[in-house]
């Protein structure tokens, strides 16, 4: 959830391996959660995996998250832990 994502960011900052891409990945996770809530509110929801397979905007947000998280991992390599 959002609390776990915030905790993860604080741990990264404290350990010195923080970079902006990880913060962006956390923001994208929040957008995905809000999109899922919007789909559920519209009455088109079900199991999360079913919503993900059918909702193109949610798939796009998932792809953006994958890229930003991967970039954050890549940029975080070589920094002191």
């Amino acid at each position: 959830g959002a609390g776990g994502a915030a905790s993860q960011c604080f741990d990264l900052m404290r350990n010195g391996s923080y970079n902006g891409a990880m913060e962006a990945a956390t923001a994208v996770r929040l957008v995905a959660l809000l999109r899922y809530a919007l789909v559920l509110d519209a009455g088109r929801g079900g199991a999360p995996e079913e919503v993900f397979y059918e909702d193109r905007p949610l798939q796009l947000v998932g792809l953006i998250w994958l890229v930003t998280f991967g970039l954050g991992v890549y940029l975080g390599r070589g920094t002191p832990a």
Side-chain angles (χ1 to χ4, degrees), residues 18 23 40-41 45 51 58 63 75:
Y18 171 78
E23 185 176 76
L40 289 181
D41 192 47
V51 172
L58 190 56
L63 180 63
L75 293 175

Side-chain angles (χ1 to χ4, degrees), residues 33-44:
L33 180 65
L34 293 173
R35 175 64 190 178
Y36 179 67
L38 183 68
V39 170
L40 289 181
D41 192 47
R44 299 180 320 203

Side-chain angles (χ1 to χ4, degrees), residues 39-56:
V39 170
L40 289 181
D41 192 47
R44 299 180 320 203
E49 63 274 6
E50 292 173 4
V51 172
F52 183 77
Y53 292 139
E54 297 172 1
D55 190 60
R56 290 286 184 205

Side-chain angles (χ1 to χ4, degrees), residues 8-75:
Q8 180 183 19
C9 281
F10 290 132
D11 287 343
L12 289 169
M13 287 187 287
R14 183 179 40 216
N15 293 333
S17 59
Y18 171 78
N19 61 58
M22 285 301 205
E23 185 176 76
T26 302
V28 173
R29 282 177 30 180
L30 178 61
V31 170
L33 180 65
L34 293 173
R35 175 64 190 178
Y36 179 67
L38 183 68
V39 170
L40 289 181
D41 192 47
R44 299 180 320 203
E49 63 274 6
E50 292 173 4
V51 172
F52 183 77
Y53 292 139
E54 297 172 1
D55 190 60
R56 290 286 184 205
L58 190 56
Q59 292 171 359
L60 178 63
V61 170
L63 180 63
I64 292 169
W65 176 83
L66 189 63
V67 170
T68 56
F69 183 78
L71 188 61
V73 170
Y74 178 76
L75 293 175

